[in-house]
Amino acid sequence: MPFYHFIDPSSAEGKRTLKHLVLLREKIAEEIPSKTLGTTLLLATWNIREFGTSKYGGRSLEAYYYIAEIISKFDLIAIQEVREDLSALKKLLSILGKHWSYVFTDVTQGGQGNGERLAFVYDTRKVRFGGLAGEMVLPPFETKDPQSGQTIYEPVKQLARTPYICGLEAGWIRFQLTTVHILYGSSAADDPDRVAEIKAVATTMAKRASDKYAWSENMVLLGDFNIYSPKDQTYQQIEAAGFMIPEDLKKLPGSNVPKNKFYDQIAFMVKPGEFETTGKAGIFDYYRYVYTLEEEAVYAKQMGDAYLKTAAGKDRTAAGKTSYYKTYWRTFKMSDHLPMWVEIAIDHTDRYLSEKLLPPQADPNDQPPTP
């Protein structure tokens, strides 16, 4: 349960925050399963827009409380777009409480890296860090010189934002969790650079799953893939590599605010019977309860002159003001993505005990010696 000590109930903002938190908690309870002690794992992914930036006035304490309340309802969440300045991530953890922890990458260098980090935030009462952590580096392309027979190693293009891999455990399961923020590139459904990045990360992880020294055979790939539609090559590259997106996730709407783009995904390459979803999954649309369209006027003072006038100094029309609030200002308080979640079964005790009761199976190759 997050800590809300610094909400001032005597202020207008404090009263609004308290009312919204009560509503948010009520609706989360209706839409997301309750956390369990040891039977299920609630796994989520959320691109929190420029988490650590000061754009559009930066995030208010009100927004941090809403974000913390949402994250607290999951056991493990991958967060994309954490920025160089870690103060936002640290503030979030201070609200969540001491039983929460995180691991995160260094900043990806270069213009395409956009000064971003990737992070996993998890409830230590349920999730255990297994020791494995690393940023994915794609292996070189290997060919044989026909003359000498020597192996030639050719460098390959790395991903613009380095994927992050961690080994984690919960209940009876252990798994390698890889989070990505795939390059957006051009505004096209199948931008070739985006397709290539998804193919590279999916095939690389698939190969690791069959490595006899793999920390775990269970691979989970999730994050912001910038996929427009399940019909696109970007989406198909995930499945072509051998990853499976469960039907409960395939039925969900898009994870952008208008719910018409399928940017975020959670995919699995796991051992059957060992790692299973429960059939419950969702996209949580917090804008139905906080920073709603009906509250535009409530935040007019916070938005300031930029809400009233364009960068060129012209007065905004009513439609222009609404667009500024809806598309920009509030998305830098919360995000332009909605969190995606799935529930995973992590208690296999009943199955294990039942299997122990079964008589041992005879080995067909174990024949008695011929007299």
Side-chain angles (χ1 to χ4, degrees):
M1 181 177 65
F3 294 91
Y4 297 122
H5 303 314
F6 298 105
I7 300 176
D8 180 5
S10 65
S11 69
E13 180 177 339
K15 289 178 181 177
R16 179 178 65 246
T17 303
L18 290 168
K19 289 179 180 178
H20 281 14
L21 283 171
V22 170
L23 177 62
L24 195 59
R25 288 171 60 84
E26 175 187 333
K27 296 304 180 181
I28 289 174
E30 292 176 3
E31 299 180 33
I32 300 174
S34 298
K35 293 169 69 169
T36 63
L37 181 62
T39 57
T40 58
L41 174 76
L42 285 168
L43 172 66
T45 181
W46 191 7
N47 180 320
I48 304 181
R49 190 172 195 178
E50 296 195 23
F51 197 51
T53 188
S54 59
K55 290 182 181 178
Y56 292 86
R59 283 182 170 82
S60 61
L61 192 56
E62 177 182 3
Y64 277 108
Y65 283 139
Y66 300 153
I67 291 171
E69 183 61 46
I70 294 167
I71 286 178
S72 74
K73 301 308 178 186
F74 304 113
D75 299 305
L76 168 62
I77 184 164
I79 300 178
Q80 300 85 46
E81 286 202 30
V82 176
R83 305 310 294 267
E84 303 102 317
D85 185 348
L86 287 169
S87 58
L89 194 59
K90 291 177 180 178
K91 183 182 287 290
L92 171 64
L93 267 290
S94 71
I95 297 171
L96 286 171
K98 291 184 178 179
H99 57 269
W100 283 85
S101 189
Y102 55 66
V103 289
F104 53 85
T105 64
D106 196 0
V107 177
T108 302
Q109 298 297 315
Q112 289 185 322
N114 198 33
E116 294 182 20
R117 306 174 189 265
L118 295 167
F120 295 119
V121 175
Y122 58 98
D123 188 335
T124 60
R125 296 171 300 180
K126 176 74 67 66
V127 180
R128 301 178 298 279
F129 174 58
L132 171 69
E135 297 181 55
M136 180 187 290
V137 178
L138 300 178
F141 183 68
E142 299 182 22
T143 57
K144 289 283 187 180
D145 184 289
Q147 301 288 330
S148 65
Q150 291 184 328
T151 302
I152 300 172
Y153 299 94
E154 299 179 17
V156 298
K157 184 178 180 181
Q158 299 297 322
L159 277 69
R161 290 178 283 241
T162 310
Y164 192 34
I165 308 165
C166 275
L168 298 161
E169 300 173 302
W172 282 64
I173 65 172
R174 54 190 281 153
F175 52 98
Q176 291 191 52
L177 188 62
T178 302
T179 184
V180 301
H181 187 190
I182 298 296
L183 177 73
Y184 184 77
S186 62
S187 185
D190 283 326
D191 176 275
D193 289 333
R194 198 184 317 142
V195 173
E197 284 206 346
I198 295 174
K199 180 179 180 179
V201 70
T203 54
T204 299
M205 290 310 301
K207 289 177 182 177
R208 292 187 180 185
S210 60
D211 186 338
K212 68 177 182 178
Y213 296 113
W215 187 85
S216 170
E217 296 177 63
N218 299 314
M219 301 287 178
V220 183
L221 182 59
L222 79 173
D224 179 2
F225 292 83
N226 279 311
I227 292 171
Y228 282 30
S229 166
K231 298 178 181 179
D232 299 336
Q233 279 293 314
T234 46
Y235 185 95
Q236 292 165 20
Q237 291 299 329
I238 298 174
E239 295 185 317
F243 280 88
M244 183 267 297
I245 299 173
E247 288 300 319
D248 33 316
L249 286 166
K250 287 184 175 181
K251 295 175 183 177
L252 298 179
S255 57
N256 62 330
V257 176
K259 299 180 185 175
N260 59 3
K261 296 289 193 302
F262 295 77
Y263 292 147
D264 306 285
Q265 295 293 331
I266 305 175
F268 302 86
M269 182 179 289
V270 295
K271 292 178 67 175
E274 180 178 307
F275 197 109
E276 299 173 342
T277 60
T278 66
K280 297 178 181 178
I283 300 288
F284 183 67
D285 185 358
Y286 44 82
Y287 283 126
R288 289 180 292 173
Y289 317 118
V290 300
Y291 294 104
T292 65
L293 293 179
E294 294 75 21
E295 293 178 300
E296 178 184 338
V298 173
Y299 295 102
K301 187 175 181 180
Q302 280 192 39
M303 289 186 279
D305 291 341
Y307 171 66
L308 303 174
K309 294 183 179 296
T310 66
K314 295 182 179 180
D315 292 338
R316 291 189 188 275
T317 63
K321 290 178 182 177
T322 295
S323 178
Y324 178 84
Y325 168 71
K326 174 185 176 182
T327 309
Y328 300 100
W329 188 83
R330 70 174 185 167
T331 65
F332 278 89
K333 295 295 179 283
M334 298 296 290
S335 184
D336 53 350
H337 288 241
L338 306 173
M340 169 185 280
W341 61 271
V342 64
E343 187 180 57
I344 299 165
I346 62 171
D347 183 2
H348 301 319
T349 306
D350 290 339
R351 181 188 303 163
Y352 173 79
L353 294 175
S354 297
E355 289 175 353
K356 294 287 281 186
L357 286 171
L358 296 174
Q361 297 296 313
D363 186 345
N365 298 316
D366 186 15
Q367 300 295 329
T370 303

